[in-house]
Amino acid sequence: LSNESHTRFRGAMAEAAGTDVDNTTIQCTHVHTAVVIDSNAKELLTDVEDPPAYYDPAFLNKVADELASGVQAAVARLEPCDRIGTAQAKVERVASDRRIMVDGQIRWRGSSGGRNPALAELPEGTIDPYVKTITFACGHRPMARVHYYATHPQSFYRDARASYDFVGMAREKLQEEEGVFQVYFTGCAGDVAAGKYNDGSREARQGLYERLLAGMQASAAATEYQQVTPIVWRTVELEFPAKSEPGYNEELFRKEMLDPAKDPGRRIWAARRVAFYERVRPITISSLQMNSIHIVHLPGEPMLEFQLYAQRQQPEAFVAVAGYGDGCTTYICTDQAFAEGAYEPGAAAVGRGSEEILKNAVRQLLGLE
C-alpha cells in the first residue's frame, strides 16, 4: 500500500474507531502474491495513451469499506487487557542474508536462491534470528499474540495466486492450536530472505513453515507477563530525499510511464516512481510503548540494519519492529549499501542520506529524543 492508498486505509480505520488517523498504522507482510496498490500512480496513468491495466478503484473502496466494518465490529467487542507478555525464540534455517560479500563483491541471493547450489552454500550472513512475541492478556487468559520476524516471507510467487505463504501457514496453525488470535508482522527484511533454505519446492515451503512455527510456538510458550501501564503512542513525520541519478530520475520515469510501447508492468512501475517524486505529504511513522516494551512501525522496505539499530538503542527493553508501512519509498538502504551497489539500492526510490533520517526518527519513536 503506497501513498494516498495507505492513507485511505488508515483513514477508514480511524473513522470507524472514532480516532485520529495518526493513531493508526498499517503494515504489510510483503509476500509478493497480491497487487501493489498506489492510487497516485493510478491517477497518473488515467489519462495516458493506451493506459496499462491496473487495479479497479472500486476494489480499493470495497476493501477499505470492509476494513472499516471490521474495525467497527471490533470496537464494539473490546475487552479489558491488564497484563502484557513478551518472549522471543530462535528460528532455525529460515532467514538468510540476501547480500553476501564474496571477494569484495556482493553475491545476491533472492527468495529462491536455494535453486542455485553455489548460492545455497554461501553463509547464512547477517540476520535477526529471533521471532519476538507480544501477548495481550486478561488475567491468565491470552487474548491475542503478535509476532515479529525479519525475512521476506516468500517460498513462491508470480503464479497468479493470492497467498499468505509459509508465514501465514504458521500463524494459522498456531491460532488453531492455542485458540488465541495470532497476528504476524514482517520486520525489516529489505535485505533478508529465505533464499539459502528455499528452492521453490513444496518440500522447502513445508520446511520453512514447520521451522517458523516451531520458533513461534517456543516464543509463545516462553511468555513472561507484567502489569500493563498507560500506553504511549508516538508519531514522527519524515521526508526522504528522492533518488535521482543517471538511469534513475523523474524525467526518465515520466517518459516510460507515457510510452504505450513499453511493457505494462514497467509503465506502472514508472508511474509509482513519478508519484513519489510528486509526493507532498510527509510519511507518518509511529510507535507504541507499554512499560519497557516498544513496537516500532517503519515505512517501505527497510534493510535489517534499522531493526538492529532500534534494538541497540534500548538494549534493556523489548523492542519489536514492523516494516512495510507506506510502500512509496520501496527500499530504504544504508549508505554502505549504496556504496556496495547491487539490487536493493538500485531499486530504492529514496536516495543516500535516508539512513540518518530514519535512524533519527527511530530514536524519537523510542522516546530518546
Side-chain angles (χ1 to χ4, degrees), residues 33 120 142 154 277 298 301-302 329 338:
T33 53
Q154 299 156 10
Y277 284 110
L298 298 185
E301 192 161 1
T329 64
F338 275 106

Side-chain angles (χ1 to χ4, degrees), residues 8-22:
R8 165 83 169 88
F9 273 48
R10 290 173 58 222
M13 290 176 64
E15 183 176 357
T19 188
D20 186 82
V21 68
D22 280 351

Side-chain angles (χ1 to χ4, degrees), residues 76-301:
R77 297 168 50 200
L78 285 174
E79 299 181 47
C81 168
D82 57 15
R83 294 203 305 164
I84 189 79
T86 57
Q88 66 178 25
K90 194 170 185 180
V91 177
E92 301 286 352
R93 294 183 297 121
V94 173
S96 59
D97 199 331
R98 295 207 311 188
R99 299 167 56 85
I100 305 296
M101 185 67 71
V102 178
D103 297 328
Q105 290 189 323
I106 295 292
R107 293 288 302 277
W108 195 81
R109 181 172 56 195
S111 292
S112 302
R115 291 174 176 168
N116 182 336
L119 292 177
E121 290 173 3
L122 291 175
E124 188 174 70
T126 302
I127 64 169
D128 183 344
Y130 295 99
V131 57
K132 291 181 177 290
T133 301
I134 299 174
T135 301
F136 298 88
C138 182
H140 296 287
R141 179 174 64 92
M143 295 185 294
R145 299 194 199 274
V146 288
H147 307 271
Y148 300 81
Y149 183 64
T151 188
H152 267 67
Q154 299 156 10
S155 62
F156 73 102
Y157 44 96
R158 293 182 178 175
D159 66 355
R161 282 181 291 177
S163 168
Y164 51 32
D165 214 305
F166 71 93
V167 300
M169 294 163 62
R171 185 211 66 80
E172 188 172 75
K173 181 63 174 176
L174 187 56
Q175 180 166 300
E176 176 187 314
E177 290 178 350
E178 290 197 324
V180 176
F181 190 72
Q182 313 279 332
V183 185
Y184 178 90
F185 287 91
T186 299
C188 296
D191 51 344
V192 183
K196 178 176 174 63
Y197 307 108
N198 180 47
D199 59 8
S201 67
R202 289 182 178 272
E203 293 76 15
R205 185 183 316 153
Q206 183 69 17
L208 294 170
Y209 150 65
E210 291 176 354
R211 296 190 294 274
L212 177 60
L213 174 61
M216 293 168 66
Q217 290 169 328
S219 187
T223 299
E224 296 183 355
Y225 290 97
Q226 55 187 285
Q227 294 299 308
V228 169
T229 60
I231 289 172
V232 179
W233 180 267
R234 299 182 179 94
T235 60
V236 176
E237 291 190 340
L238 294 178
E239 292 188 25
F240 290 105
K243 190 172 71 173
S244 184
E245 53 190 52
Y248 198 111
N249 56 69
E250 182 176 1
E251 181 181 4
L252 171 67
F253 292 134
R254 198 172 290 277
K255 287 180 179 179
E256 291 185 339
M257 177 185 75
L258 296 172
D259 187 352
K262 285 286 185 182
D263 174 79
R266 179 68 187 188
R267 295 180 75 190
I268 294 170
W269 190 88
R272 292 183 60 215
R273 296 304 182 272
V274 173
F276 182 71
Y277 284 110
E278 292 186 350
R279 183 180 175 116
V280 295
R281 183 199 296 269
I283 298 170
T284 301
I285 61 175
S286 59
S287 68
L288 185 151
Q289 180 183 352
M290 294 167 289
N291 303 359
S292 60
I293 303 166
H294 298 263
I295 304 175
V296 177
H297 311 114
L298 298 185
E301 192 161 1

